[in-house]
Amino acid sequence: MVPNKMMNDKLISLNSLKEIDEELYQAYAKKYRTHPDREKLLVRRIPKLDCLWNDVIFFLPLHPHHVFRALKTVGVNIKTNILFYKIPTKNLMNNKNAVYLYLKENDKGPSAEIDSNDIKFIDVESFNELTHIPNDTVTYFEEEHKKGNNFGMFVYIPHILSLGEVSILDSKVINWSEESG
């Protein structure tokens, strides 16, 4: 997503932000303090990348419209004007990049360790964008919406993890409510 406040033309990890601007860090870290287990993500280790959860920058491996459409289909009342960066792969070339598979059958919650088998190094130039969200994600949306719970929008969708800064130069800003063209 496009951050509400940026300091320059680079995306940086939450932990890097803490070193630069404590107040802005606290504002962005607030989402992790909504549940005791979620707060444990702040110290969760990512195997193979040998870093913490908030040392990486997270990317979707698909157009965000797929998530928007699934949430709307389930009946979730969502904003239509959420913006995302579509970043050229060349902007990630100097980083260590991996995919976190985030499979339902392996998920033990945010406080559990990530299985190293769920982290795969990727070559961002040859990585293929997904064309749909996983069925487990749609089922999760349906179940949590029926319960009336607040829930995560990216559960069981693989996450691209990029260790290092990412320039937004040459990036396109896209609205998740608009289909990809």
Side-chain angles (χ1 to χ4, degrees):
M1 289 183 189
V2 173
N4 292 330
K5 184 177 178 189
M6 284 193 57
M7 300 174 71
N8 55 35
D9 61 356
K10 291 183 178 155
L11 297 173
I12 60 172
S13 71
L14 189 59
N15 286 343
S16 294
L17 180 61
K18 185 176 186 177
E19 297 172 15
I20 298 167
D21 187 329
E22 178 69 27
E23 188 175 318
L24 191 55
Y25 166 83
Q26 291 300 333
Y28 281 116
K30 189 177 187 179
K31 70 180 182 179
Y32 291 105
R33 295 190 175 94
T34 59
H35 187 278
D37 275 348
R38 192 158 162 73
E39 190 164 6
K40 293 176 183 170
L41 283 172
L42 294 169
V43 293
R44 189 181 207 189
R45 293 213 57 79
I46 299 174
K48 295 184 181 173
L49 288 177
D50 195 30
C51 65
L52 297 176
W53 185 259
N54 289 319
D55 287 332
V56 299
I57 301 168
F58 298 88
F59 296 98
L60 279 174
L62 74 164
H63 194 286
H65 184 72
H66 297 289
V67 178
F68 173 83
R69 189 174 54 235
L71 290 166
K72 287 297 265 185
T73 300
V74 168
V76 178
N77 184 19
I78 52 175
K79 295 178 183 178
T80 58
N81 61 342
I82 297 179
L83 302 177
F84 288 76
Y85 284 121
K86 183 172 184 164
I87 297 174
T89 55
K90 67 178 179 153
N91 295 18
L92 284 78
M93 294 302 295
N94 293 326
N95 294 355
K96 281 176 136 178
N97 299 291
V99 63
Y100 169 42
L101 298 176
Y102 202 178
L103 301 169
K104 180 181 180 183
E105 58 268 18
N106 296 351
D107 183 37
K108 297 175 185 90
S111 62
E113 289 185 28
I114 297 172
D115 187 318
S116 66
N117 292 323
D118 290 337
I119 301 292
K120 307 285 186 201
F121 285 111
I122 58 170
D123 173 4
V124 291
E125 286 186 304
S126 62
F127 186 82
N128 291 320
E129 187 174 295
L130 300 180
T131 58
H132 64 280
I133 62 173
N135 291 333
D136 286 335
T137 301
V138 175
T139 301
Y140 168 82
F141 289 167
E142 291 168 345
E143 291 171 355
E144 294 303 308
H145 182 62
K146 282 180 190 170
K147 294 177 192 173
N149 293 338
N150 289 330
F151 55 89
M153 295 188 298
F154 309 115
V155 172
Y156 307 133
I157 297 173
H159 293 22
I160 303 297
L161 313 176
S162 191
L163 184 58
E165 295 180 345
V166 176
S167 170
I168 58 167
L169 296 177
D170 301 322
S171 296
K172 182 177 176 187
V173 175
I174 56 175
N175 187 319
W176 79 331
S177 66
E178 298 171 6
E179 289 190 52
S180 61

